[in-house]
Amino acid sequence: MFFSPAISNICLGLSILIFVSGLISRKISFSFSKKTLKIYLLICTPFLLTFISFLNSYDTIYSLDFLWLRAPLFVLPLMILNLNNIEKKDIDYAFLLYVFAAFLATVISYVNAIKIYFEHGLFLDPNLTRDYITPIQHPYYGIFTLVAIITLYFYGSIIKQKKVRVFLLVFFSVGVVLSTSRTAILLLLLFLVYTIFSFFKNHKTYRLLVLGSLGVIVFLSVSNTVLKTKIINTLSYWDSPRAWLWDNSYKVIKYSNHKLTGTGIGDFYRIKRSPEKFIHSQRGTYGYNPHNQYLEFLITNGIFGLLYVFTMLYLLYISYRSKTVYTVMIVLIISVFSFTECIFNRQFGIQLYSFFLPVSLILATKKQ
């Protein structure tokens, strides 16, 4: 899940090989119920939108790269939702492996952060974090570590020792702060609010420890000058590169001649431009990553890009109706993260969506 993108490609290839072998040996079978099929089609919405945008591109050769990159959005949910004999112990084992991977990534981040502090005398500096500290892009590291916290909190049975669980929750919480990702830190604070309400409903000692530890995390986030400045700059247009990119995307949509069908994804990204060398224009400029998945689909798919918005809203509704808090939080994390990143332009975002979304929805449907 972490580190080199080559690892994710190898894992995807092995997964497909195992799945095909299971089909041949009849240990795995396609048996979509009406409800499961509906969930699968909902999850596949981003891939279907990308496929339509691919067909709508004049530069179809270049747009093939995006179609291939997003292929796991079509393949992995198909595999996961067809694992009919999956049991709780299987999910627990998968979650345990994930927590272990998150632990390794966080250890690396700790070591790098300490090294950078002694070399530069800076702590929680976003630029240094981006370049030297986290093993993957720092916003994705922050979100993946947050998912590890939530997974460990709701499925504590994967680690029997309570003290170890508390240590890992605190350890990962500091890791989220080390990521300097505003979105991940904000979602961590929302999780803190949830745990406070849960504490008053269910008085358990170890949850009190978690609350106290998360309180320390909040203090670190607010008291650190560099990180606080980054958060405050979000509210100031001229100091926020993301706001520039969102404004550019709005202009591209506003002045587009293809508002209904959108500009093909291959055409929009034909010339990729660096946000670090952003140039303002009156009508918007192609090639800048919008850093907002909803805006990107509106650009590349026109009015049909709203399907992604409706998909996430409906998945939130399904999750809420199932009363499975873990599923609600996973869908909420992906929905909020989509506001600040084009998650389907990076393998780690695709992994987050195509693995955790179907697994969490399986948990929700099994509960029902």
Side-chain angles (χ1 to χ4, degrees), residues 148-294:
I149 292 171
I150 293 171
T151 301
L152 192 57
Y153 186 84
F154 287 104
Y155 293 92
S157 59
I158 62 177
I159 295 178
K160 304 298 182 183
Q161 298 82 2
K162 185 181 297 185
K163 291 181 179 179
V164 175
R165 290 201 303 272
V166 172
F167 166 76
L168 287 174
L169 287 168
V170 176
F171 186 75
F172 287 144
S173 297
V174 176
V176 172
V177 176
L178 284 177
S179 74
T180 69
S181 167
R182 288 163 288 190
T183 304
I185 293 172
L186 172 63
L187 289 170
L188 180 63
L189 294 179
L190 290 176
F191 177 67
L192 172 61
V193 172
Y194 169 79
T195 55
I196 289 173
F197 282 108
S198 298
F199 172 74
F200 285 112
K201 289 180 64 176
N202 305 301
H203 296 276
K204 292 187 177 180
T205 306
Y206 88 93
R207 290 190 178 184
L208 180 61
L209 292 173
V210 172
L211 288 176
S213 302
L214 289 175
V216 173
I217 303 307
V218 174
F219 174 76
L220 285 174
S221 302
V222 175
S223 61
N224 183 269
T225 305
V226 179
L227 183 58
K228 184 169 64 176
T229 301
K230 180 182 178 182
I231 294 172
I232 292 174
N233 284 348
T234 305
L235 306 176
S236 174
Y237 175 82
W238 294 108
D239 291 326
S240 177
R242 268 189 175 80
W244 302 342
L245 295 170
W246 294 343
D247 182 61
N248 180 75
S249 301
Y250 167 73
K251 291 175 181 176
V252 168
I253 295 169
K254 181 180 179 180
Y255 294 106
S256 173
N257 295 323
H258 310 284
K259 290 184 175 65
L260 182 63
T261 58
T263 303
I265 192 168
D267 302 329
F268 178 70
Y269 284 117
R270 187 172 63 87
I271 300 176
K272 286 191 176 182
R273 305 179 191 275
S274 171
E276 296 178 357
K277 300 177 181 178
F278 183 80
I279 300 175
H280 293 275
S281 63
Q282 291 185 341
R283 301 175 67 89
T285 305
Y286 284 12
Y288 287 115
N289 186 323
H291 276 274
N292 183 309
Q293 192 59 64
Y294 303 105

Side-chain angles (χ1 to χ4, degrees), residues 4-58:
S4 171
I7 296 177
S8 61
N9 287 330
I10 293 170
C11 290
L12 177 62
L14 289 174
S15 300
I16 295 173
L17 180 62
I18 293 170
F19 185 73
V20 172
S21 300
L23 287 175
I24 295 174
S25 62
R26 297 184 179 181
K27 292 181 179 180
I28 298 175
S29 60
F30 286 103
S31 57
F32 272 132
S33 64
K34 185 177 179 180
K35 188 173 185 178
T36 306
L37 180 60
K38 181 176 73 173
I39 291 174
Y40 175 68
L41 291 176
L42 283 169
I43 294 174
C44 280
T45 298
F47 180 79
L48 296 175
L49 288 173
T50 304
F51 183 72
I52 292 170
S53 185
F54 157 73
L55 295 177
N56 191 38
S57 297
Y58 288 106

Side-chain angles (χ1 to χ4, degrees), residues 47 50 66-73 265 296-297 344-345 350:
F47 180 79
T50 304
F66 290 93
L67 198 62
W68 172 249
L69 175 68
R70 300 179 183 185
L73 299 173
I265 192 168
E296 188 194 65
F297 277 131
F344 303 125
N345 286 348
I350 291 169

